[in-house]
Amino acid sequence: MERTIVLEYDDLTHLSPENCISTIDELVVRHPTIKLSFFTVSMMRGVPLSHDMLWCSRIRKHIDNGNVTLAHHGLVHTPEEFKHLDQTECILRLKFSKSIFDTCKLPVVKVFRGPHWGISDEAVKALECEGFTHLYNHTDYEHLTSDTLKMVYYNWNLKDEPPDDNVLVTHGHTHNVCSNGISETLDKVSSFIDHVNPTFKFVNEL
């Protein structure tokens, strides 16, 4: 059975503990064709990504080599940041976040996941207005619909064993939280890749 895997991790930034650049390096060494999608916070705890341009340069190399894609994960990652904002405020935060990525010369795809999964009709409208293509959503919010956004849901939380589905969309974190951190699940994921030899895709390629 041919398998396709979308490896997704939340909360990437240059700050500790969410900075997982060394684990990214390790995964690329082990699996040179791997594709890793990171929902990235442009201003975690009030510190923009541009504060560490060396880190940005290291991530950019992986993007240029086709191993990493960055996607939007809010502006400041406060709990359910995008759940209680109106459409105008959502758009302002999306634009501000994009400006930080631009300053860092980091390409970012038009894919969004709400911090702590929080999302609303107003946020969906904002994403549509800003030309987003995908919403990585949670089943708690599957009642939200869109004519233009593709809704993506995970079927493999990396703390668990993989299901038998042909297409696996993972959910993990860039730090060791919820038992699905990228470093604590590294050997499990790597062993699965070696055993199955899957086709890799980014979230925006679904």
Side-chain angles (χ1 to χ4, degrees):
M1 177 176 64
E2 292 187 11
R3 310 290 289 276
T4 296
I5 187 168
V6 177
L7 290 167
E8 174 276 329
Y9 301 90
D10 293 349
D11 305 342
L12 182 66
T13 187
H14 62 290
L15 301 176
S16 179
E18 297 88 0
N19 178 359
C20 64
I21 188 69
S22 61
T23 310
I24 296 172
D25 293 341
E26 176 65 21
L27 276 167
V28 172
V29 168
R30 293 190 189 189
H31 311 285
T33 63
I34 199 168
K35 292 185 176 184
L36 304 165
S37 298
F38 290 99
F39 283 97
T40 307
V41 184
S42 56
M43 200 163 70
M44 181 77 85
R45 296 186 287 279
V47 183
L49 294 172
S50 54
H51 185 75
D52 190 341
M53 295 301 283
L54 178 58
W55 181 89
C56 293
S57 177
R58 292 180 67 184
I59 287 291
R60 193 182 309 113
K61 287 181 181 178
H62 287 303
I63 296 172
D64 291 344
N65 289 334
N67 296 117
V68 165
T69 282
L70 306 184
H72 293 261
H73 194 35
L75 175 62
V76 294
H77 199 264
T78 51
E80 296 186 317
E81 178 186 2
F82 274 69
K83 186 174 181 178
H84 304 292
L85 303 175
D86 63 23
Q87 181 179 346
T88 299
E89 181 62 27
C90 288
I91 289 174
L92 287 173
R93 292 191 183 214
L94 291 169
K95 288 182 179 295
F96 190 9
S97 184
K98 179 61 165 58
S99 73
I100 294 172
F101 285 111
D102 289 345
T103 297
C104 298
K105 296 181 173 57
L106 290 175
V108 57
V109 295
K110 292 279 190 172
V111 181
F112 185 84
R113 173 191 172 322
H116 304 273
W117 295 111
I119 197 75
S120 67
D121 283 314
E122 290 290 295
V124 168
K125 291 174 185 175
L127 294 171
E128 291 173 337
C129 285
E130 291 301 299
F132 277 71
T133 60
H134 296 67
L135 173 61
Y136 188 94
N137 203 8
H138 191 276
T139 52
D140 288 348
Y141 298 95
E142 63 184 350
H143 60 280
L144 298 175
T145 60
S146 170
D147 292 332
T148 59
L149 291 169
K150 179 169 185 177
M151 300 292 179
V152 177
Y153 298 89
Y154 71 85
N155 57 3
W156 181 14
N157 188 324
L158 290 176
K159 70 181 178 64
D160 303 320
E161 292 306 308
D164 291 330
D165 304 51
N166 289 350
V167 179
L168 296 173
V169 180
T170 75
H171 170 50
H173 286 86
T174 60
H175 49 125
N176 291 344
V177 65
C178 302
S179 301
N180 60 17
I182 190 171
S183 63
E184 61 187 331
T185 59
L186 171 65
D187 289 334
K188 176 202 285 190
V189 170
S190 186
S191 177
F192 176 82
I193 291 170
D194 286 337
H195 179 68
V196 175
N197 191 28
T199 298
F200 297 107
K201 284 190 176 183
F202 292 125
V203 174
N204 60 303
E205 293 178 325
L206 287 173

